[in-house]
Amino acid sequence: MKKLFFVVLYLLPVMLFAQSTPDKAVKADNYTILRLLMINQQEEILLVKYKTGWLTPSLRYNENQSIKGALDSLAREFGYEITVPQLRAMVTFQFDFKPVVSIRTHYAAHVSGGKLKSPKDVAEVKWVSRKEAETLMSLPGTEAVDAIRLTTMQILNHPETIWGGSFLVPETGTACRMPEPFYAVGRSK
C-alpha cells in the first residue's frame, strides 16, 4: 500500500503536467494570414475597405485546404477567378503584448475572369492605381498596422523579388518597428 501511495504521488505531477501542456499550446494561437494582391488588366490593385481601413483582401488561414484553394476561394468572394497565385512576401508579426508570432504571407495573382462583387462583411471594394493604393492605405483614421501597407508597397515597388522581414506590433497604435528589415528571399517569375 505504501508503494502504491508513492507511485501515485510520483505520477500525479507528471500526469497533471502532461494534461496542461496541450492547453498551453492551444492558447498560443499562432496563425497565418494570407493576403492576396489581385491585379487586373489595367494593372490596378483591388482594395477592400474593412473596419480597420483600406487593405488588400485577406483571410485567416486555418481551414483544412490548400493555400491555392484558400486564395481561389478568397478571390471568388469578390467575384473573380485568378491565375495561379505567386508568393511575394512572408513576414512575421511579433507582438510586444503577447508571446505569440503570426506569419503573414502575401501572394499576387492576375484576374482571369469574373465581375466585381462586394462581400457582405466589407464596407467598400474598388480597383485603384498603385499610387492611390498607398494613399488609401495611409489615410488618417486607419486602424490597421502600417506593416500591411509597408509590405504591400514593397511588393508593388519590387515585384521581381520575394520578400522576408519581421515586424514588432505594438499593443496600441499602428506604427510597427522592423527588427528585421525587408530582405530578398527569392526571385519571382
Side-chain angles (χ1 to χ4, degrees):
M1 189 66 160
K2 223 178 193 181
K3 282 185 180 181
L4 181 61
F5 176 74
F6 284 114
V7 169
V8 169
L9 190 64
Y10 174 75
L11 289 178
L12 186 62
V14 172
M15 291 182 337
L16 290 174
F17 177 75
Q19 288 177 354
S20 68
T21 302
D23 290 340
K24 289 180 182 176
V26 169
K27 289 179 184 174
D29 194 26
N30 293 356
Y31 57 90
T32 299
I33 297 291
L34 303 180
R35 290 204 159 279
L36 180 58
L37 207 86
M38 285 196 282
I39 305 163
N40 66 15
Q41 289 182 329
Q42 293 76 34
E43 295 297 311
E44 295 170 314
I45 311 306
L46 186 71
L47 285 189
V48 180
K49 188 173 185 181
Y50 292 107
K51 293 175 187 173
T52 56
W54 287 97
L55 304 168
T56 54
S58 65
L59 61 90
R60 185 174 174 145
Y61 185 58
N62 56 1
E63 295 294 324
N64 187 11
Q65 63 183 337
S66 69
I67 292 172
K68 182 181 179 314
L71 293 170
D72 284 343
S73 177
L74 178 60
R76 280 193 302 276
E77 285 183 30
F78 294 93
Y80 291 109
E81 297 294 322
I82 55 172
T83 59
V84 175
Q86 301 293 312
L87 179 66
R88 291 295 182 251
M90 183 179 287
V91 298
T92 58
F93 277 19
Q94 300 165 318
F95 302 91
D96 70 0
F97 55 96
K98 58 184 176 179
V100 298
V101 67
S102 175
I103 298 173
R104 308 297 167 113
T105 56
H106 296 249
Y107 292 83
H110 284 84
V111 170
S112 59
K115 185 177 177 186
L116 181 62
K117 71 177 185 180
S118 183
K120 64 179 183 240
D121 60 339
V122 298
E124 192 177 344
V125 182
K126 66 180 175 177
W127 290 102
V128 298
S129 68
R130 292 169 190 231
K131 184 172 178 61
E132 189 178 2
E134 184 168 24
T135 300
L136 288 173
M137 293 175 84
S138 303
L139 288 174
T142 296
E143 296 173 17
V145 292
D146 66 354
I148 299 168
R149 177 184 48 81
L150 294 170
T151 306
T152 301
M153 297 319 298
Q154 185 74 9
I155 294 164
L156 291 173
N157 291 331
H158 307 282
E160 70 289 345
T161 305
I162 301 169
W163 296 100
S166 183
F167 291 93
L168 182 60
V169 179
E171 185 169 11
T172 59
T174 61
C176 297
R177 196 170 53 80
M178 283 191 84
E180 289 180 356
F182 290 117
Y183 55 90
V185 294
R187 306 286 292 170
S188 62
K189 291 181 182 181

